[in-house]
Amino acid sequence: MVFSINKQAIEIKSRFHGITLTSVNECCCAIGILAKMYSLPLPQKHESLEEMKEELYMRINGKSAPSEYARKIIDMLDGYNGMGTITNELYDLLQYAYNEQCGTEPAYR
């Protein structure tokens, strides 16, 4: 898997309104990006995407979004209704996205 493509896909999708994420890959990437933007520690690996999302939402609940970009990613992640198992490769993708996120804006800015 080419990790950077998933991060770029989220950055591109954030330019539009009403777009949702289309894969577990993009969701894991989004969780890593959001955790970094909210200055949270790297999320722990869970067995399912639902558990990963639940932990993230619990940690950011009540906090204002650090940027419009973060708000768009949350909206896209909210729109994803699929389920998925978090493999080691998907968790590596989440870690990549977390480590590559600088600041609260997408890389293309």
Side-chain angles (χ1 to χ4, degrees), residues 42-99:
L42 181 68
Q44 295 293 317
K45 182 179 184 272
H46 293 283
E47 293 299 313
S48 71
L49 176 61
E50 296 76 26
E51 292 171 309
M52 297 294 296
K53 286 172 64 174
E54 184 177 308
E55 180 184 331
L56 174 71
Y57 290 151
M58 181 183 70
R59 291 177 178 260
I60 66 174
N61 187 33
K63 297 180 181 181
S64 60
S67 66
E68 181 61 25
Y69 177 53
R71 180 76 251 152
K72 288 180 178 181
I73 294 175
I74 291 168
D75 290 344
M76 289 189 292
L77 188 58
D78 285 346
Y80 185 81
N81 294 319
M83 300 181 346
T85 301
I86 304 301
T87 63
N88 289 337
E89 185 176 36
L90 287 172
Y91 188 68
D92 289 346
L93 171 60
L94 186 149
Q95 290 176 6
Y96 168 84
Y98 181 90
N99 291 328

Side-chain angles (χ1 to χ4, degrees), residues 12-64:
I12 292 166
K13 287 179 177 193
S14 74
R15 296 179 190 178
F16 305 96
H17 296 284
I19 303 295
T20 61
L21 302 178
T22 57
S23 69
V24 176
N25 296 21
E26 289 179 349
C27 291
C28 285
C29 193
I31 291 168
I33 291 169
L34 287 167
K36 185 70 169 267
M37 284 197 288
Y38 276 91
S39 299
L40 300 173
L42 181 68
Q44 295 293 317
K45 182 179 184 272
H46 293 283
E47 293 299 313
S48 71
L49 176 61
E50 296 76 26
E51 292 171 309
M52 297 294 296
K53 286 172 64 174
E54 184 177 308
E55 180 184 331
L56 174 71
Y57 290 151
M58 181 183 70
R59 291 177 178 260
I60 66 174
N61 187 33
K63 297 180 181 181
S64 60

